[in-house]
Amino acid sequence: MTGFRAFLAKEFAETMHTWRIWVLPGFLLFSAISSPILTYFTPALMDALGSQGTGIAITVPDPTASAAYLEYIGNLFELVMLAMVIAYGGIVNSEVRSGTGALTLAKPLSRHAFVLGKWVSQLAVLLVAASLATAVCVGVTAVVLDSGPALALVAAAGLWFAYAVLMLSVMVLLSVAFRAPAAASGAGVGAYLSLVVLGQFPRLAEVTPAGLPTAATDRIQGIPAIWVTPLLTTVVASLVLLLAALWLFSRREI
């Protein structure tokens, strides 16, 4: 692919010097720090509310590292996923709409390299940010609670990363298909909610990417998790969506 390395270096430089370096990494780090702290203080907050004379008895189990990890993974599959959908709505079409895409492609740069450079650069951001955030979550949890099933959390975070790669591929395709970032983000929300709905049907969840959230939480809780088939279908779906984005962009008017 002509010009891929140079364009990828440009994408990394832009990511490091623009707002993109703060959005998703910021959400990940916020979840990593807030999840164990919130888990630790929740019983005290509930006791304080119960002592206000409301007449409502609220029973909260003692905080554990597993509960903190579950809170963290839950935030990743919900809060961070929605942030991804919004942030990546313009991953391709924003440059095309502004005209800079046409100028970039006028150089010795293939259209496949243009799309793939966007995908690879953000994949690297997600990988580094998720690894750092997971390490921070383990560290903060160890300070306020204990280390708990840290290895299980790492495995669960790996399943989340596969899910994130799928959503990244979805957003790249939608950003190619739609000219407006808002339209791509709206369609991305629909795709994300469709996965959430599919996850409510056990038989479908066992063979589709929709089963990864449940598999991740099961790993943390020490429950036998069905993750191999959902992971394989996630990898295949991510590659198919990326190939579809490459094909569609090669035929799109700039």
Side-chain angles (χ1 to χ4, degrees):
M1 286 177 289
T2 306
F4 174 73
R5 289 186 179 181
F7 183 70
L8 181 60
K10 188 272 291 184
E11 283 296 302
F12 279 131
E14 284 190 359
T15 297
M16 294 301 296
H17 294 91
T18 61
W19 59 269
R20 283 185 286 179
I21 193 60
W22 301 107
V23 177
L24 290 176
F27 275 100
L28 282 160
L29 286 174
F30 173 78
S31 298
I33 297 170
S34 65
S35 296
I37 293 176
L38 182 62
T39 300
Y40 179 78
F41 283 109
T42 294
L45 291 173
M46 293 299 99
D47 287 343
L49 289 175
S51 66
Q52 299 300 316
T54 60
I56 301 175
I58 303 175
T59 302
V60 179
D62 293 335
T64 62
S66 294
Y69 294 159
L70 287 172
E71 179 73 17
Y72 170 64
I73 288 296
N75 286 336
L76 263 57
F77 275 105
E78 297 172 7
L79 177 66
V80 177
M81 281 296 123
L82 290 175
M84 277 187 61
V85 168
I86 296 171
Y88 290 151
I91 189 172
V92 175
N93 57 26
S94 59
E95 284 198 40
V96 174
R97 283 168 60 88
S98 66
T100 57
L103 293 175
T104 302
L105 290 168
K107 301 175 182 180
L109 175 70
S110 68
R111 293 195 177 198
H112 284 178
F114 183 87
V115 174
L116 194 59
K118 299 281 187 182
W119 187 83
V120 171
S121 65
Q122 296 311 303
L123 182 71
V125 170
L126 287 171
L127 178 59
V128 173
S131 300
L132 177 61
T134 301
V136 169
C137 183
V138 171
V140 175
T141 302
V143 171
V144 299
L145 296 166
D146 58 72
S147 59
L151 292 179
L153 174 65
V154 172
L159 295 177
W160 173 85
F161 179 71
Y163 197 85
V165 173
L166 173 65
M167 287 307 302
L168 173 61
S169 299
V170 168
M171 294 314 301
V172 168
L173 176 59
L174 292 176
S175 190
V176 170
F178 293 93
R179 294 190 177 273
S185 292
V189 170
Y192 168 73
L193 293 178
S194 297
L195 285 173
V196 172
V197 172
L198 284 178
Q200 306 308 307
F201 299 92
R203 290 189 177 180
L204 292 176
E206 290 176 1
V207 296
T208 66
L212 287 183
T214 299
T217 57
D218 285 348
R219 290 299 298 270
I220 294 173
Q221 296 179 90
I223 301 173
I226 301 175
W227 61 272
V228 176
T229 302
L231 181 60
L232 290 176
T233 56
T234 299
V235 172
V236 172
S238 299
L239 292 176
V240 169
L241 290 166
L242 178 60
L243 290 174
L246 294 172
W247 178 85
L248 185 60
F249 192 70
S250 68
R251 287 156 178 76
R252 175 179 172 176
E253 286 189 23
I254 303 300

